[in-house]
Structure formats: structure tokens, C-alpha cells
Amino acid sequence: MLRSRKLSPSSPAAQAPLPAHIRSIARPKHNATPERSRADIVRTAVDKSAGHTQALSRGLAVLEALAATDAGATLTALAARLGIPAPTAHRLLATLQAAGYVQIGATGQWRIGVRAFRVGSAFLAQRNLAVQAFAHLEALMERSGETTNLAVIESGEAVFVEQVQCRELMRMSAKLGARVPIHASAVGKAMLAAMNERRMTALLGRQPLTRHTPRTITSHAALAKEIALIRARGYAIDDEEHAAGLRCVATAVVDEHGDAWAAISLAGPTTRITAKRIPTLGALVRASARGLTEALGGRVAAPSRAAPDRVTSQPAARDRARATGR
């Protein structure tokens, strides 16, 4: 019968090396991760992911803040604007600078870099006005019940490039490619109102403004007052100025510089587009144009102040308004 005996730690037998096959069994498995350690690893990974997301969000906020300035911003001003510590802002700027997304001038002003411009230019190359506009025109037609149009300026005239017709039997219909005068159409006046004075003057010149109906604006002074009114309220009105019995409401779609690129309008007979409906329809057109402007990367600006809609239901009253400089 075999009996086991205890070995003292100092005995030669206890100090003898174990056989290889026993050492492999007795050796602790250091590679095995306890359950608690695994949870710690997952928690650490989540924390790192959240940190990376925050850093990305802050980096994008830095780019947007710099893009909103014309002359750039100092580190201190940028940190204050974003509500983050200056050291944090500096780390973000240094990372973006290393990648070419921002640059710093001799006076310490941080600005958007060349690489950010290239990324933005890729978007500009891919946008398509007519394709992007169609959904906005369709939605506007559904909300207003009237035919909606998209027009651009070409060779001194407004040209219709897209249209969604309403379901009414009596409705406005213009062939794509049809041209209308810019001084006697809602789309034309809306785009004029979104232009700077130099471009507007170059486009209109000092040539006489052709009369198309008794309601057409035919003096440059009266047109200038009309443009100021359009800028104030945010949309233009064609009050039977190009065709008798037809009324239109339009707002400009602007590019990234805030300059006129196109115009969205709705049009219909004066029996449906009454003076009472104009404010509501104007708000719908303005919202649609704003949505398309944002979708195309344009710069949206709010109207400077509220302005009345000078559309009346009595022809005599309308003629008096025109005579006083409308």
C-alpha cells in the first residue's frame, strides 16, 4: 500500500523541478481573462468610442465656426464661441491643421484650409438643381394646390426649367424653356431681389422696361421700390403684370454666396390666388425655397422686416397704388 508523505519546502524533493508534462498543467493560464476584466475591456472600448465621437463632433464644430467667419478667428475667440477650453481648441486646430483642413495666418487668425475646400467642392460638383428641386416643387404643389415652377436667369430673362402642374382644370401651364421678362414676373423679381446692386444694375441696364399689361412696372424707380419690398417680406408677387388674370408668388433660391441662383414660384388664376391667400402662399413658397437652398448648400438669410402684400381686389385701387410708385 502506497502512502503519501508531506514534503517540507526545504527538502530536496520539494525543490526539484517538476516534469514538463506536470509543469504545463500546474502553470497558471495567464491568457485566460476573468469575467470582470472582460467587462472592464468592453467599458473601456465604449468610453474610447464616445471620446472619439466627441472629438469628431468638436472638430466639425470648429470647421463650421471658421466657415461662418470672413476673416478667420483667433484661438481665444474660437474657444469662447464654441464654449470649450482653449487647450482643447488648440489640440483640435492642430489636428485639423496637420490634415490640411485649417490653416493659420501671420496674424494668428485661423481659417478654413485647402483640403476643406476640396471636400466642399466635391459636393458642389455633384449637386443638380432641377433634380433636387423636383421634390420641393411637388411638395409645394400638394400644399398649395397650385402649379409650381423653377426658373433661372439666362441672357437677361427668366427661363422655366422645371414644373409640377396642379390638378385643377383651370391652371397655369408653361413649356419648359419658356421665357418671361425679369421685371414683369414673380420669378424674375425674386431673383433680382436676391442680387447685389451691381449685378442687378448690369442685368437691367437703363433700357426701358417693356409693358405687357396695364399692371406692368415700367419705371426703374418703381421697380427699385418693388425690389426693396420683396427683400423685406421674402417673396415676390406678379399681380397680373405679365398676363392678365394670372397671379404668381415666388422666392429666390440662392447659392453659397447668398446670390440668386434660381427661383421657385406657384402660379394660378386670380380667382383662386386672391389677395387674402397671398400671405399664406408666400410663406409656403418661402419655406420651399429655403429648403431647396439648404439642400444645395446655399446661404439662407431671413427677411429684414415684415412688409405688407400690396395686392388688392379692386382694379381701380391697384392702379392708384401703381401711380404712387408701386
Side-chain angles (χ1 to χ4, degrees):
M1 179 179 179
L2 297 175
R3 293 184 181 180
S4 63
R5 59 190 180 91
K6 294 182 179 179
L7 299 176
S8 67
S10 59
S11 65
Q15 295 178 356
L18 293 173
H21 69 283
I22 296 179
R23 287 202 307 271
S24 64
I25 298 173
R27 185 184 299 118
K29 295 184 179 180
H30 296 292
N31 293 333
T33 304
E35 205 61 37
R36 184 176 180 182
S37 297
R38 288 177 183 156
D40 290 341
I41 290 174
V42 171
R43 190 178 300 109
T44 301
V46 171
D47 292 342
K48 286 183 177 180
S49 176
H52 292 160
T53 301
Q54 184 185 50
L56 176 60
S57 298
R58 285 179 169 178
L60 293 174
V62 167
L63 290 175
E64 290 182 359
L66 290 177
T69 65
D70 293 327
T74 63
L75 171 63
T76 303
L78 189 61
R81 180 170 183 173
L82 296 176
I84 60 177
T88 300
H90 185 267
R91 286 196 299 271
L92 293 170
L93 287 168
T95 301
L96 292 169
Q97 182 185 29
Y101 284 95
V102 300
Q103 58 190 24
I104 187 169
T107 59
Q109 299 286 109
W110 288 91
R111 299 181 179 86
I112 290 294
V114 174
R115 193 165 185 182
F117 171 75
R118 290 174 181 168
V119 172
S121 297
F123 167 74
L124 296 178
Q126 295 169 7
R127 61 184 179 177
N128 186 306
L129 176 62
V131 172
Q132 297 240 23
F134 187 82
H136 296 269
L137 294 176
E138 193 171 41
L140 179 60
M141 186 277 291
E142 295 291 350
R143 288 193 292 268
S144 66
E146 302 295 345
T147 295
T148 56
N149 307 280
L150 178 73
V152 298
I153 286 183
E154 199 272 328
S155 298
E157 294 179 299
V159 182
F160 291 109
V161 295
E162 188 58 271
Q163 182 180 84
V164 175
Q165 292 192 10
C166 69
R167 301 182 182 88
E168 300 290 340
L169 292 177
M170 184 181 294
R171 59 179 180 261
M172 179 266 191
S173 179
K175 291 182 179 180
L176 297 186
R179 295 171 176 268
V180 291
I182 56 176
H183 72 284
S185 62
V187 288
K189 291 189 294 182
M191 287 186 279
L192 285 175
M195 296 178 187
N196 56 47
E197 296 300 323
R198 179 182 297 179
R199 184 184 175 195
M200 184 170 65
T201 301
L203 189 62
L204 289 172
R206 301 308 301 176
Q207 298 298 321
L209 304 178
T210 304
R211 182 181 295 278
H212 297 272
T213 74
R215 309 290 300 133
T216 305
I217 297 175
T218 56
S219 80
H220 287 273
L223 183 59
K225 290 183 179 181
E226 179 80 355
I227 295 303
L229 183 64
I230 294 168
R231 287 171 177 166
R233 70 186 170 205
Y235 56 88
I237 303 169
D238 170 1
D239 187 16
E240 302 183 80
E241 296 162 43
H242 183 243
L246 183 68
R247 195 170 279 149
C248 311
V249 182
T251 299
V253 176
V254 300
D255 61 19
E256 60 274 17
H257 305 294
D259 200 10
W261 188 12
I264 283 181
S265 73
L266 58 80
T270 55
T271 54
R272 283 204 309 271
I273 301 184
T274 60
K276 187 176 181 179
R277 289 188 70 200
I278 291 291
T280 300
L281 295 177
L284 289 176
V285 174
R286 192 169 55 202
S288 183
R290 175 183 288 267
L292 180 56
T293 294
E294 291 177 343
L296 293 168
R299 181 183 298 177
V300 178
S304 58
R305 61 181 177 83
D309 298 305
R310 297 187 181 179
V311 176
T312 62
S313 57
Q314 298 298 322
R318 291 181 302 188
D319 293 337
R320 285 195 299 273
R322 291 285 181 175
T324 57
R326 183 184 182 276

